[in-house]
């Protein structure tokens, strides 16, 4: 009888731990890191089989090739989940009466942030290890800001809506990576390269300019709610999107100039 009682208590403790916030956070972050490793290995295998150019790349180029494949997979995943959670689900809807929008979270929203934290940790580690071949100081600043904001929202459950709005900017990553792949493949003068350039400008305008304008508008409308989070949370909600918005504008101008140069050379 006592053995059954101990077993029941043990099962209840295990179940409560699995459903606890800390387990969800740790497991999702670790899962994100392992997912990155899996995608990197799969990229190595499939690229060596299906892309003849891959074998002729230098070691550093192969690392960047696989690294960009990881970022592409993460970008597709996080863009889809951000759209779902921020706009298609009712989690952050103003029509819901389940508390303040700024304070809302769910097991799914927290888990997705954990996976994204795992990706950014992995990518930051690779950037530092191979510095500066995978990105310069601006990438370090971007990743560090992202990690701080993601981690805060993941652990506290606060401001997750704004974090997902910012994460929608990852929608531009596949186009950026495709541009690099086409360049490495010797297709810089191809029609695909030009079409991708136009798509990059359009997606960047929507995901990194217009979405941020809506984010600041939402912040203005829900200012009284934002002021109810912690001081550090207010700092993150105010400063991180602003810094990223400035960086987005600078990068957007560079992309437009690059597309202009490409069109000029064709003419």
């Amino acid at each position: 009888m006592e053995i059954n009682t101990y077993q029941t208590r043990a099962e209840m403790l295990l179940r409560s731990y699995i459903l606890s916030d800390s387990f969800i956070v740790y497991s999702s972050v670790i899962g994100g890191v392992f997912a990155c490793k899996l995608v990197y290995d799969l990229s190595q295998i499939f690229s060596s089989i299906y892309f003849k150019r891959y074998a002729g790349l230098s070691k550093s180029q192969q690392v960047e090739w696989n690294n960009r494949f990881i970022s592409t997979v993460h970008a597709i995943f996080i863009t889809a989940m951000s759209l779902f959670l921020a706009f298609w689900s009712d989690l952050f809807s103003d029509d819901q009466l389940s508390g303040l929008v700024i304070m809302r979270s769910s097991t799914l929203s927290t888990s997705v942030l954990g996976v994204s934290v795992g990706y950014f940790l992995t990518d930051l580690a690779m950037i530092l290890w191979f510095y500066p071949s995978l990105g310069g100081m601006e990438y370090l600043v971007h990743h560090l800001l992202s990690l701080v904001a993601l981690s805060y929202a993941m652990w506290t459950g606060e401001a997750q809506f704004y974090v997902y709005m910012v994460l929608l900017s990852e929608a531009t990553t596949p186009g950026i990576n495709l541009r690099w792949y086409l360049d490495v493949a010797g297709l810089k003068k191809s029609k695909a390269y030009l079409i991708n350039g136009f798509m990059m400008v359009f997606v960047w305008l929507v995901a990194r300019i217009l979405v941020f304008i809506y984010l600041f508008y939402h912040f203005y409308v829900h200012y009284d709610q934002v002021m109810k989070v912690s001081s550090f949370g207010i700092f993150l909600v105010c400063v991180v999107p602003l810094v990223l918005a400035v960086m987005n504008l600078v990068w957007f101008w560079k992309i437009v100039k690059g597309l202009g140069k490409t069109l000029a050379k064709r003419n």
Side-chain angles (χ1 to χ4, degrees), residues 10-11 44 56-57 81 85 119-120 123 161 166 186 192 226 252 261:
E11 290 174 358
Q44 282 184 311
L57 299 176
M81 294 307 300
L85 290 167
Y119 159 73
F120 277 106
D123 202 44
F161 174 75
V166 172
V226 175
F252 182 67
K261 290 180 180 179

Side-chain angles (χ1 to χ4, degrees), residues 186-237:
L187 298 173
K188 196 170 184 176
K189 295 183 179 180
S190 66
K191 183 180 289 187
Y193 189 88
L194 182 62
I195 294 173
N196 183 66
F198 280 110
M199 289 302 299
M200 280 177 57
V201 171
F202 174 74
V203 176
W204 195 285
L205 177 63
V206 173
R208 291 185 180 252
I209 307 296
L210 297 181
V211 167
F212 272 72
I213 292 175
Y214 175 74
L215 185 154
F216 293 129
Y217 166 76
H218 191 280
F219 175 90
Y220 173 76
V221 173
H222 297 81
Y223 179 79
D224 58 328
Q225 294 190 23
V226 175
M227 291 300 105
K228 293 183 179 181
V229 303
S230 67
S231 299
F232 186 63
I234 295 174
F235 172 79
L236 289 178
V237 172

Side-chain angles (χ1 to χ4, degrees), residues 5-69:
T5 303
Y6 286 134
Q7 286 180 338
T8 302
R9 289 178 179 176
E11 290 174 358
M12 292 177 63
L13 287 172
L14 180 61
R15 188 179 297 111
S16 63
Y17 176 70
I18 291 175
L19 295 176
S20 67
D21 292 338
S22 60
F23 179 81
I24 292 171
V25 167
Y26 288 130
S27 60
S28 57
V29 171
I30 294 172
V33 173
F34 276 99
C36 289
K37 179 64 169 69
L38 176 62
V39 172
Y40 188 93
D41 292 341
L42 289 175
S43 176
Q44 282 184 311
I45 295 170
F46 286 104
S47 297
S48 60
I49 296 173
Y50 295 105
F51 296 97
K52 296 179 180 179
R53 287 263 183 178
Y54 182 80
L57 299 176
S58 65
K59 182 64 176 178
S60 61
Q61 285 180 319
Q62 288 184 356
V63 170
E64 185 168 359
W65 177 292
N66 299 321
N67 175 268
R68 287 179 179 273
F69 191 76

